[in-house]
Amino acid sequence: MRIPGFRTFNRIKNYLGNQGLILMYHRVVDLKSDPWSLCVSPERFEEQMQVIKRYTQPVSIDEIGTNKNRLSSLSKIKISITFDDGYSDNFKFAQPILNKYDIPATFFITTGAINSKEEFWWDEIGRLILENMRLPNTLEINISGIKYSWQIDSSLIENKDIFQISNIKIPPNNSTISRLKLHYVLWKILIPLSMNEKKTILESLRIWSTKPKETRSDYLALNSKELESLANSKLFRIGAHTVRHPMLSRLTIKEQEQEISESKFFLENLLNIPIRNFAYPHGDFSSETISILKRLDFTDACTVNAKLVNQHDDRYMLPRFAVLNWNGQDFEYKLNEWFTQS
């Protein structure tokens, strides 16, 4: 059943003019555990693409908020699809559906994960904490010279929707927490650390949890062949997303430039194409980050700010709306809500 409010598209299209909307996806896959709400199932992703094809004009990231294809944009509102991180399911499940409906997309790649047989560190934390049937009752761990100690109540069930990550506080030692909160707390503690520090802590957590290192195929990043196949399609663009997915604003200028330039040059050397698009890991950046992007000849960069794009927006601060695992009808409703909120 179609959402009646979506019919307002015809009434607002002239008002919106050169405004558009960028959607942010991460994963297209069915998973048992999804603590970050990153996954859209293949079935629901196809429903969402059907809605996009029916009501909007899908365009590349370069055409959002510009005068390009102006005649087409007068009849349908422009929308652009992006994917962050570079999970292999982007190729296996998202790509065939995008091809089926002739919808362009941009894939922002964390290059340090390409061809890796290791999971992203945040997924590894989820495996150790959330998918372990028998966690010890107490965690005592030293991280960056600080000793943490918590009692874990595995019977305490909390809904992930109650957690706002930016507001999560580190619990005092000897307090009791759920395994879900422990998962988010560890993420918050680890996120500013270097990759070597993260790996050391993950090894300590494996020993503590008695859960050995494991490679889950559903959690791996793209390999070179999959990435090359995406790059060879006229529908798709490849963008950079750093090497190790850090919080860029917490790095020195030199470290930021290294993360950004190495990811760009890796992709250009592998794919033999210019890399001009960028997305900020965690949506985090500083004024120095933007200066680095301009110096490296990037033409735009995506944030995680949720609002419409227009032709006057700073191309290095493009906003995006995060898409959840909605069915087609709910997705219609959200699109209508986003388009009419401005």
Side-chain angles (χ1 to χ4, degrees):
M1 180 177 178
R2 187 166 302 142
I3 299 295
F6 207 85
R7 295 172 187 168
T8 59
F9 266 28
N10 287 329
R11 296 200 297 272
I12 64 174
K13 64 187 180 186
N14 291 327
Y15 168 72
L16 286 173
N18 283 317
Q19 287 183 303
L21 184 150
I22 306 175
L23 298 180
M24 176 176 62
Y25 291 88
H26 289 81
R27 310 203 60 185
V28 176
V29 66
D30 275 312
L31 292 179
K32 186 169 54 175
S33 175
D34 184 20
W36 297 107
S37 298
L38 298 182
C39 301
V40 176
S41 73
E43 293 75 20
R44 290 192 167 183
F45 182 71
E46 181 158 12
E47 289 181 33
Q48 293 175 6
M49 295 306 102
Q50 289 170 348
V51 170
I52 285 173
K53 193 67 175 180
R54 185 181 303 127
Y55 291 112
T56 76
Q57 179 194 352
V59 298
S60 74
I61 195 77
D62 299 325
E63 296 178 67
I64 283 290
T66 71
N67 288 314
K68 294 180 181 179
N69 288 344
R70 177 153 176 78
L71 292 177
S72 300
S73 69
L74 291 176
S75 60
K76 286 188 177 181
I77 299 163
K78 290 188 285 189
I79 200 165
S80 187
I81 308 295
T82 66
F83 289 83
D84 283 10
D85 300 339
Y87 282 95
S88 183
D89 56 67
N90 293 181
F91 174 80
K92 294 175 183 175
F93 300 119
Q95 175 258 145
I97 295 170
L98 292 165
N99 278 326
K100 179 178 179 179
Y101 294 98
D102 195 36
I103 295 176
T106 300
F107 299 88
F108 294 110
I109 307 300
T110 305
T111 55
I114 300 302
N115 295 322
S116 174
K117 296 303 180 184
E118 295 184 356
E119 301 176 11
F120 288 103
W121 66 269
W122 55 85
D123 289 329
E124 176 77 345
I125 290 178
R127 181 182 75 87
L128 295 174
I129 304 301
L130 301 179
E131 298 186 21
N132 192 344
M133 296 300 293
R134 295 186 177 181
L135 278 182
N137 295 327
T138 302
L139 172 61
E140 294 182 351
I141 191 167
N142 189 311
I143 302 177
S144 298
I146 301 175
K147 292 182 179 180
Y148 299 97
S149 176
W150 301 297
Q151 304 300 313
I152 302 155
D153 185 352
S154 294
S155 66
L156 182 58
I157 305 299
E158 295 175 296
N159 190 315
K160 66 183 179 183
D161 295 333
I162 71 172
F163 292 103
Q164 293 186 343
I165 301 304
S166 59
N167 295 331
I168 285 182
K169 296 181 180 179
I170 309 302
N173 283 347
N174 302 317
S175 58
T176 298
I177 60 176
S178 69
R179 64 166 68 206
L180 183 58
K181 185 169 184 178
L182 175 64
H183 166 266
Y184 292 129
V185 165
L186 286 172
W187 176 88
K188 187 163 188 173
I189 294 172
L190 265 63
I191 197 169
L193 304 184
S194 70
M195 188 54 69
N196 285 337
E197 289 174 306
K198 289 184 177 81
K199 288 182 176 180
T200 298
I201 300 306
L202 286 172
E203 182 57 33
S204 296
L205 289 171
R206 289 187 202 104
I207 295 170
W208 165 77
S209 67
T210 68
K211 205 167 175 66
K213 195 169 185 178
E214 179 185 338
T215 298
R216 298 176 294 177
S217 59
D218 285 343
Y219 288 82
L220 293 181
L222 294 155
N223 61 42
S224 295
K225 289 185 178 180
E226 292 168 336
L227 182 53
E228 288 173 23
S229 180
L230 289 175
N232 288 334
S233 169
K234 293 181 180 179
L235 271 182
F236 305 138
R237 286 186 175 275
I238 305 300
H241 199 45
T242 72
V243 179
R244 301 169 189 86
H245 204 279
M247 298 282 281
L248 285 168
S249 70
R250 302 189 186 188
L251 302 182
T252 65
I253 295 176
K254 182 178 180 180
E255 289 169 335
Q256 285 195 53
E257 181 147 14
Q258 184 177 8
E259 279 285 341
I260 296 168
S261 62
E262 286 186 9
S263 66
K264 174 183 171 71
F265 299 147
F266 173 92
L267 292 169
E268 289 181 336
N269 289 333
L270 175 67
L271 305 175
N272 197 29
I273 57 174
I275 300 298
R276 299 283 188 249
N277 311 105
F278 187 82
Y280 303 107
H282 310 289
D284 176 74
F285 61 96
S286 65
S287 58
E288 290 82 7
T289 316
I290 295 175
S291 297
I292 291 168
L293 293 176
K294 291 178 178 178
R295 189 160 62 247
L296 292 172
D297 293 327
F298 284 95
T299 57
D300 51 61
C302 289
T303 70
V304 295
N305 298 326
K307 71 180 191 71
L308 295 174
V309 185
N310 65 62
Q311 62 182 357
H312 304 297
D313 279 342
D314 186 329
R315 297 296 297 181
Y316 296 92
M317 297 180 65
L318 293 175
R320 294 185 292 175
F321 289 91
V323 182
L324 302 184
N325 191 31
W326 297 308
N327 61 30
Q329 179 171 294
D330 290 340
F331 182 63
E332 277 193 21
Y333 180 85
K334 291 303 294 187
L335 278 184
N336 184 68
E337 178 184 301
W338 293 337
F339 275 123
T340 56
Q341 71 179 21
S342 64

